[in-house]
Amino acid sequence: MIHISRKEHFNAAHKLWNPVWSDERNFEVFGPCANVNWHGHNFELIVTVKGLPDPDTGFVVDLKQLSTLIRRLVIDKVDHKNLNVDVDFMQGKLASCEILVMEFWKILEPAVNEITKFGSLYKLTLYETPRNFVEYFGEGV
């Protein structure tokens, strides 16, 4: 089994805030991430597709098509945006990396299936900072 990955980058602001909690509880749990005026990150999204190579091309997935798909369906919607306010698929959701990566999966998984008959979406890795990241394998979607 081959795992092939494409990395894309975006910048976005967000605030971690649970509206049913008091201000004190939000600041206690989320600390500086609950900043009233938001805060931002330079995110890295790594999309990994698994499969066996197409005997005609040697590709599990055409990386140019994958990059175009990721940019059109995800990056263009979140880059230089406020995740809590500007992004339709994040409306009414906590803007944590865990929730964000699950929403990305819902968008990307069917689209990846359309551009390759030899592979499928295997994993999404979302870096919020160089030391903080989440990995998601599609469970629970």
Side-chain angles (χ1 to χ4, degrees), residues 13-75:
H14 71 149
K15 173 172 63 173
L16 297 179
W17 191 267
N18 186 330
V20 301
W21 291 352
S22 67
D23 291 357
E24 293 78 19
R25 179 77 173 137
N26 275 289
F27 289 118
E28 176 187 324
V29 172
F30 299 123
C33 294
N35 184 354
V36 175
N37 293 314
W38 321 98
H39 69 283
H41 297 283
N42 299 315
F43 290 91
E44 299 283 348
L45 174 63
I46 303 169
V47 176
T48 302
V49 175
K50 73 173 181 179
L52 296 173
D54 177 338
D56 293 329
T57 66
F59 297 162
V60 172
V61 63
D62 181 323
L63 285 174
K64 182 163 178 37
Q65 287 183 16
L66 182 61
S67 175
T68 299
L69 181 143
I70 298 165
R71 294 191 64 67
R72 180 173 50 85
L73 296 178
V74 173
I75 303 302

